[in-house]
């Protein structure tokens, strides 16, 4: 990696608001995206991508087998605290560099071109893996809903078909512009919070029998095939860590957010702590309501939370709550497509992707990167194809999301720590807490990156292999090969607009 360069000038910490369009020009980019998103909308997109009604629900069955209630509840509490540290540290760097490129742009400015290059590819892998994980999870729940309502028996093929329809829906919604995306995300916040209250309230009031406090907080279950309980508990943290990802969406929408130097940072932090509290309530409510643990684990619906609702509320009640969950997951997937497409747009704007001249085009009518949207959903579809042949492939997709995007969160923070006093914080900063919080964040990310490359089930076979490590290796190898092809075309602007890469050439991409 190249030596740490002098970071670009950033505004003084005392500046409450700044001209974001001028700030973007200072960072080297012509403003071409519509700045139509407010602070709440920026928070809402990260909250929608985290989506406790998506992550917690889709991996709940994984949690039942991998550590059980104790790991799910205490793991959520612990992981949430560490993720909050990561979010705080990342928010500080976001305030200094509010661009759609987000993580890779920060790494490039603080560490050099190669740091930015590899951070970008990791971030892109994580974002595209997230679309696949979220929308495939929604397809699984849609199949469970159809099973309860009409006796439909989901198969890998029909689930894949539903998944493709959901991807198409999200692509079309994102083509209408960021204002619609912002409105949908704002609705999503209240839908998620009301949905958690409705699900937990129903599961508390209606069932005649509930599990004990001791069971919910101390019961350890190991169905992984591994004998080491510490190892199983550590792997079981995937449920929480997978859910607590995607909050970089606030940073990726910076160029479309008013007062982004403050609003995007606040959006990241607020999305994490609100999700932390609401998610704990949701997991506790589900676990207290388990009637038959083994039947829930092996449910014919393919979705353990659906079985909990079915046992506790009956078919009609379960169907109604499943519909609430599915709509929340659709909100989540739509927000993730928005974030991923902005990353594709920004990375292409700096010449990093094959066919960059195509993916960086922006619609003159909606000011939306149309081609980037279609590329995002197409790659997500390809990532989910192994689910047609392997029952454990979905867990691998979620792990791909975690080990792709989580290291990308820590790299800008590490480079900010390495830069020391040369880093000038933006309007939102941590002050004297910057370094201790930053080092906690980097340490946590290092641990979970290694952890989620490990096998999740024993014996390790073609069907149970954790392919996340393979995907990570493939992306790093391909990124290295492509570096030698595209290194002359790739580069973030080194100064104010008009220098660095030829912005006039970029302007031709507006169609």
């Amino acid at each position: 990696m190249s030596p740490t360069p002098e970071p670009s000038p950033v505004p003084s910490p005392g500046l409450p608001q700044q001209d974001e369009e001028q700030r973007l020009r200072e960072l080297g980019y012509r403003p071409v995206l519509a700045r139509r998103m407010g602070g709440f909308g920026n928070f809402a997109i990260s909250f929608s991508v985290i989506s406790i009604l998506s992550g917690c629900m889709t991996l709940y069955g994984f949690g039942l087998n991998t550590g059980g209630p104790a790991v799910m509840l205490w793991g959520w509490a612990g992981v949430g605290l560490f993720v909050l540290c990561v979010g705080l540290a990342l928010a500080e760097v976001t305030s200094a560099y509010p661009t759609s490129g987000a993580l890779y742009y920060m790494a490039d400015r603080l560490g050099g071109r190669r740091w930015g290059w590899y951070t970008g590819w990791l971030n892109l892998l994580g974002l595209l893996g997230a679309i696949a994980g979220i929308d495939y999870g929604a397809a699984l729940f849609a199949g469970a809903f159809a099973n309860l309502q009409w006796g439909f028996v989901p198969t890998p093929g029909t689930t894949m078909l539903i998944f493709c329809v959901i991807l198409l829906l999200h692509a079309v919604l994102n083509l209408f512009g960021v204002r619609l995306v912002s409105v949908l995300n704002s609705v999503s916040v209240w839908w998620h919070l009301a949905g958690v209250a409705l699900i937990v309230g129903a599961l508390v009031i209606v069932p005649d029998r509930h599990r004990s406090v001791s069971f919910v907080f101390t019961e350890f279950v190991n169905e992984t095939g591994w004998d080491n309980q510490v190892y199983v508990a550590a792997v079981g943290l995937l449920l929480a860590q997978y859910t607590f990802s995607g909050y970089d969406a606030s940073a990726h929408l910076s160029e479309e957010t008013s007062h982004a130097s403050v609003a995007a940072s606040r959006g990241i932090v607020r999305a994490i702590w609100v999700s932390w509290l609401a998610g704990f309530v949701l997991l506790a409510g589900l676990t207290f309501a388990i009637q038959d643990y083994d039947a829930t684990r092996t449910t014919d619906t393919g979705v353990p939370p659906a079985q909990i609702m079915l046992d506790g509320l009956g078919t009609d009640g379960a169907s109604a709550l499943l519909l609430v969950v599915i709509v929340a997951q659709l909100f989540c997937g739509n927000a993730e497509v928005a974030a991923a497409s902005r990353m594709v747009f920004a990375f292409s704007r700096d010449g990093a992707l094959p066919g960059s001249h195509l993916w960086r085009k922006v619609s003159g009518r909606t000011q939306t990167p149309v081609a980037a949207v279609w590329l995002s959903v197409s790659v997500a579809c390809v990532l989910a194809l192994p689910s047609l042949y392997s029952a454990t492939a979905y867990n691998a997709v979620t792990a791909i999301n975690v080990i792709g995007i989580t290291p990308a969160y820590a790299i800008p923070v590490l480079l900010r720590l390495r830069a020391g006093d040369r880093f000038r914080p933006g309007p939102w900063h941590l002050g004297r807490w910057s370094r201790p919080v930053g080092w906690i964040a980097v340490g946590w990310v290092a641990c979970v990156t290694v952890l989620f490359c490990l096998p999740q089930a024993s014996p390790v076979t073609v069907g149970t292999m954790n392919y996340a490590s393979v995907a990570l290796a493939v992306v790093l190898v391909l990124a290295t090969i492509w570096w030698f092809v595209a290194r002359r075309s790739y580069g973030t602007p080194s100064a104010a607009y008009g220098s660095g890469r030829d912005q006039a050439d970029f302007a031709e991409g507006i169609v």
Side-chain angles (χ1 to χ4, degrees), residues 78-92 247 268-269 272 276 409 413 428 430 433-434 436-442 444-445:
V79 169
L81 181 60
F82 283 113
V83 169
L84 184 59
C85 289
V86 178
L88 286 165
L90 183 62
E92 181 176 54
Y247 45 86
I268 290 171
V269 176
I272 293 171
W276 188 19
Y409 291 157
V413 176
W428 195 100
L430 298 175
W433 292 101
S434 179
V437 170
W439 283 116
I440 291 171
V442 171
W444 172 249
V445 169

Side-chain angles (χ1 to χ4, degrees), residues 357-419:
H357 66 283
L358 175 62
W359 316 123
R360 70 188 183 214
K361 288 183 178 179
V362 176
S363 167
R365 182 174 61 86
T366 63
Q367 293 178 277
T368 299
V370 174
V373 170
W374 287 114
L375 179 65
S376 298
V377 297
S378 298
V379 174
C381 183
V382 172
L383 287 176
L385 286 178
S387 297
L388 285 169
Y389 311 103
S390 170
T392 61
Y394 179 68
N395 291 341
V397 170
T398 59
I400 286 171
N401 168 226
V402 171
I403 69 165
I405 209 166
T406 306
Y409 291 157
I411 292 172
V413 176
L414 175 63
L415 295 174
R416 175 263 173 276
L417 293 169
R418 194 178 73 164

Side-chain angles (χ1 to χ4, degrees), residues 229-268:
Q229 293 189 353
V230 174
Y231 179 88
V232 172
V235 172
L237 298 179
L238 176 62
L239 182 153
Q241 187 64 50
Y242 166 68
T243 305
F244 281 118
S245 63
Y247 45 86
D248 58 315
S250 289
H252 288 294
L253 273 292
S254 292
E255 292 181 33
E256 295 159 89
T257 301
S258 300
H259 310 307
S261 296
V262 172
S265 300
R266 287 178 176 169
I268 290 171

